[in-house]
Amino acid sequence: MKKKRPGLQDVANQVGVTKMTISRYLRDPSQVSATLRGKIAVALDELGYIPNRAPEILSNATSRAIGVLLPSLTNQVFAEVLRGIESVTDSHGYQTMLAHYGYRPEREEMRLTSLLSYNIDGLILSERTHTERTRKMIEVAGIPVIEIMDSASPCIDLAVGFNNHDAAYQMTKEILQNGHLHTVYLGARQDERTVIKMQGYEQAMREFGLEPRSVCTDRSSSYSLGCELLKEAFRRYPETDSIFCTNDDIAIGAAFECQRLGLRIPDDMAIAGFHGHDIGQSMEPKLTSVLTPREQMGQVAAERLLARLRGETVTPKMLDLGFKILHGGSI
């Protein structure tokens, strides 16, 4: 049986002040004296007080909560993005309400319906592909929205990210300029960014007068999948001498397979990844990869969202944080 939770009056009785004083402290501790702040903090700890936000939500007050929709909870990219978001929201007294939708727009719609029911103040989305109902709910909610991970695709409101197409294009050129002309693109998930990267790869290949070749799957990225995709690349295109992978997990898995086959990197097989994770820099040779600003992107997205909540004008609408080519020894 659920126990009765301590309320504001219980805290007030223990401290010897009015319930209104406790309420003021919870909204903004600076509104009460330093001495009283200490006493209230001790009472809250001793009683195990848990704030009840339901009355505020029902009264349409701000919830001090930001909804964050992520397509994956196992992908390190989004763990770092979330760390950046929470480094800002925590310092401004906002909570993040996290929902996972597995790269499925219909599930994103379901998760958004739930988040909006909690009267969130703002929303951070990870993709540009949404159902019509999702777009309509966002319009009706009238809250600021920031889409992350790309800076070129059209956005609902505001966007923060980097240009996936240009990053893939530049990396492919690096591979080709190093003399590896039989380059295959390895992709997973087939989400919008994987497709955009493949388009950048294809543009670079065609500019060099080469035929684009790819091996893609809708399966989730993993090291073992990288091994499988490299095997399939060899089966389809035996002359393959280089691969550009949609992320570092695929690239590292392919590198493991090269070791098993006795192939030297980059002499026999050049490998490039995407995102520049630390594990790739622990390889020998180090993985050449596109270094993307994951944590910074989360920070900037949260800062721009909170600025909008303060009524400030936020420009530009789409902010490009750029990328870097992390030169290892793998190409």
Side-chain angles (χ1 to χ4, degrees), residues 183-215:
T183 307
V184 177
Y185 176 77
L186 303 186
R189 274 291 187 190
Q190 290 298 79
D191 61 281
E192 60 189 24
R193 286 181 296 280
T194 293
V195 174
I196 291 171
K197 293 171 197 172
M198 185 164 66
Q199 292 168 347
Y201 152 82
E202 290 173 346
Q203 180 181 336
M205 291 289 284
R206 292 194 178 102
E207 287 183 5
F208 274 70
L210 301 169
E211 179 187 354
R213 294 175 170 179
S214 62
V215 178

Side-chain angles (χ1 to χ4, degrees), residues 26-320:
L26 292 173
R27 283 197 303 271
D28 182 0
S30 66
Q31 292 186 3
V32 302
S33 68
T35 301
L36 198 50
R37 283 200 298 269
K39 292 180 180 178
I40 294 173
V42 169
L44 292 172
D45 287 344
E46 289 179 351
L47 293 171
Y49 175 77
I50 301 172
N52 179 9
R53 304 305 304 274
E56 292 181 63
I57 293 174
L58 291 173
S59 67
N60 289 322
T62 58
S63 62
R64 306 289 292 182
I66 302 298
V68 181
L69 279 158
L70 300 178
S72 172
L73 295 180
T74 57
N75 190 326
Q76 184 182 342
V77 169
F78 297 106
E80 294 178 16
V81 168
L82 183 61
R83 183 166 64 230
I85 292 171
E86 292 190 333
S87 71
V88 174
T89 55
D90 286 354
S91 65
H92 288 80
Y94 280 83
Q95 298 293 321
T96 53
M97 297 186 70
L98 181 65
H100 164 253
Y101 59 93
Y103 293 92
R104 292 166 54 185
E106 296 77 14
R107 184 175 291 174
E108 181 193 51
E109 178 186 305
M110 291 173 55
R111 300 293 188 259
L112 178 62
T113 302
S114 177
L115 286 175
L116 290 176
S117 72
Y118 288 95
N119 197 37
I120 55 175
D121 293 340
L123 187 62
I124 297 176
L125 303 176
S126 304
E127 310 220 59
R128 302 291 203 277
T129 303
H130 314 292
T131 66
E132 284 303 314
R133 184 165 183 267
T134 291
R135 291 180 177 276
K136 185 63 177 178
M137 286 191 292
I138 290 172
E139 178 186 346
V140 171
I143 57 176
V145 177
I146 293 196
E147 290 163 294
I148 59 173
M149 301 303 298
D150 190 78
S151 63
S153 304
C155 61
I156 294 172
D157 186 3
L158 298 170
V160 178
F162 54 92
N163 193 312
N164 285 273
H165 179 281
D166 288 358
Y169 171 79
Q170 292 295 339
M171 178 58 83
T172 305
K173 283 182 63 177
E174 292 265 344
I175 298 170
L176 299 175
Q177 288 168 350
N178 279 4
H180 310 288
L181 302 181
H182 301 285
T183 307
V184 177
Y185 176 77
L186 303 186
R189 274 291 187 190
Q190 290 298 79
D191 61 281
E192 60 189 24
R193 286 181 296 280
T194 293
V195 174
I196 291 171
K197 293 171 197 172
M198 185 164 66
Q199 292 168 347
Y201 152 82
E202 290 173 346
Q203 180 181 336
M205 291 289 284
R206 292 194 178 102
E207 287 183 5
F208 274 70
L210 301 169
E211 179 187 354
R213 294 175 170 179
S214 62
V215 178
C216 297
T217 176
D218 59 3
R219 292 165 56 192
S220 302
S221 295
S222 65
Y223 301 144
S224 59
L225 181 62
C227 297
E228 294 177 33
L229 292 179
L230 180 61
K231 290 178 185 176
E232 182 62 18
F234 280 136
R235 190 187 70 79
R236 295 187 197 178
Y237 316 113
E239 68 277 23
T240 299
D241 65 2
S242 49
I243 54 173
F244 174 36
C245 305
T246 191
N247 58 44
D248 285 359
D249 288 356
I250 299 295
I252 292 165
F256 289 156
E257 183 62 17
C258 286
Q259 291 175 356
R260 276 191 286 271
L261 296 173
L263 298 177
R264 296 168 301 163
I265 302 171
D267 299 335
D268 302 320
M269 176 62 62
I271 301 176
F274 203 100
H275 285 308
H277 290 313
D278 182 65
I279 187 172
Q281 303 312 298
S282 302
M283 291 172 46
E284 181 54 45
K286 292 181 178 180
L287 180 65
T288 296
S289 186
V290 175
L291 180 61
T292 56
R294 284 96 58 188
E295 187 166 351
Q296 180 192 9
M297 183 165 41
Q299 291 171 342
V300 173
E303 288 167 355
R304 286 163 68 85
L305 192 67
L306 296 186
R308 281 286 300 277
L309 289 173
R310 292 191 296 268
E312 300 172 14
T313 300
V314 177
T315 57
K317 180 176 181 178
M318 300 176 71
L319 183 61
D320 189 340

